[in-house]
Amino acid sequence: MSADLRDAEPRPVWWEGADTGPRSEPPAGRHNADLVVIGAGYTGLWAAIEALTDDPSLDVVVLEQDWVGSAASGRNGGFVSESLTHGIAHGEAMWPDEVDELMHLGRQNVSQIVEFVERHGIDADLRMVGKTTLARTTHQADALRAAVHTHTRRGEKVEFLDRAAVRADIDSPAFVAGLRSYSGGLVDPMALVQGLRRVAESMGARIFEQTRATGLHASPGGLTVATDRAQLRCARVLLASNAFPPLLRRLKAWVLPVYDYVLATAPLSGEQLARVGWSQNQGLTDAGNEFHYFRRTRDDRILWGGYDAVYHFGNRVASELELRHASHRLLAQHFRQTFPQLHDVPFTHRWGGVIDTTSRFTPIFGTAHQGRVAYAVGFTGLGVASTRFGARVALDLLAGRRTERTRLKAVTGMAVPFPPEPLRWPAVALTRAALAREDETGRRGTLLRVLDRFGVGFNS
């Protein structure tokens, strides 16, 4: 462990002052429910809330293998994006006839989240401050300049920033240009997930933590979900397990778990903040394929994450993978290079988490067991807001409703499957190397161009 990180606590900064750990007991014996939701992250909690909003008489059970907020929903960067397509350019490439409708639904989704948080008094530091994407190279700057037309003709308010304008806002020698977007915002992700839990339980949802679903099968009159100690009979099941091993075998071909790593600094003083500027307090991200995302927290720490995206052979997911010294050291090095004037600001927290990605970089949806099981998985790092949309899609599918959501090709279509092991790991490694070369040269190599033709999402 480097001296820079020796005193950094191995836990998310969002957990400071939060009520962490399980607050409910696992069920035992036989239980009945109308709907069982597997996974109590954003997707699962939104599903419970939306189902009970539709029908308050429902008996909704939510199963969580660890505790609410322990996984991605309590570990992420807290970027609230209106995009349902992982960017406008990717939406135009994948669903050109639907991109306007998808953008409308994405904006509507975020506005409804804002209204929900305000109405229920959730203190999640939700701020609609937008984001600036920052170029480190001239070819990235050229791409951002060209993107202005793409955004504005779709009704997005954006502004291209040259080197001087970027430096006036974010005082760093690393950036040569930027694209300021005024949509979306930031949130405290752990506070949001705890607020959603409070609302779901107040509406009648029963949440069982430390309860891993071990099986799912048809039974007379419905379905049975098995856990280590219980059997839950129900009419419908909604799978919201995201990066974790799914109960449906088919999902293993579509979802790839990738580990992402994060640092957080000590709170910056007023003098230290003045060294950087950042007066608009917006979210920031690099323009490259291997990108950092960074933001200020409500107590003026800087959260600094991304760049490394690590896949482990065989879709491995394990708690010991949440800390990776090599990735944290690299992040610290990049932070010091980006903000040399903050050399005296220590890192206080280091952590990691697993992201559920699909080959098209957007979630996939579907049903099983004659429509009695639905899934919404694969949010690929943009799930803070889009999980609510995904939960609504899954509930529509369970109810057999044809809605403005379920008619979309982005919902009815399927991603290209990842190859099975032992081919999956080298395929990921080769693709990551190709993305790094594009960041360096500005040229899209043969492999990436081929993947683009097959609808793989690396053009996002």
Side-chain angles (χ1 to χ4, degrees), residues 124-148:
D125 192 34
L126 178 59
R127 294 177 279 117
M128 304 311 292
V129 291
K131 182 183 76 170
T132 300
T133 302
L134 297 162
R136 292 177 179 265
T137 66
T138 55
H139 61 259
Q140 290 175 359
D142 292 341
L144 292 183
R145 191 188 299 273
V148 171

Side-chain angles (χ1 to χ4, degrees), residues 39-58:
Y42 291 140
T43 311
L45 293 173
W46 278 122
I49 290 167
E50 294 296 321
L52 288 163
T53 300
D54 291 344
D55 184 354
S57 71
L58 287 178

Side-chain angles (χ1 to χ4, degrees), residues 81-104:
S81 174
E82 293 180 351
S83 178
L84 301 175
T85 62
H86 220 274
I88 295 176
H90 187 46
E92 290 182 336
M94 293 288 291
W95 304 287
D97 298 335
E98 293 181 347
V99 67
D100 286 328
E101 185 175 5
L102 286 162
M103 291 181 67
H104 164 72

Side-chain angles (χ1 to χ4, degrees), residues 3 12 88 109 138 222 243 260 342 405:
I88 295 176
N109 179 58
T138 55
D260 174 61
L342 298 182
R405 293 175 290 266

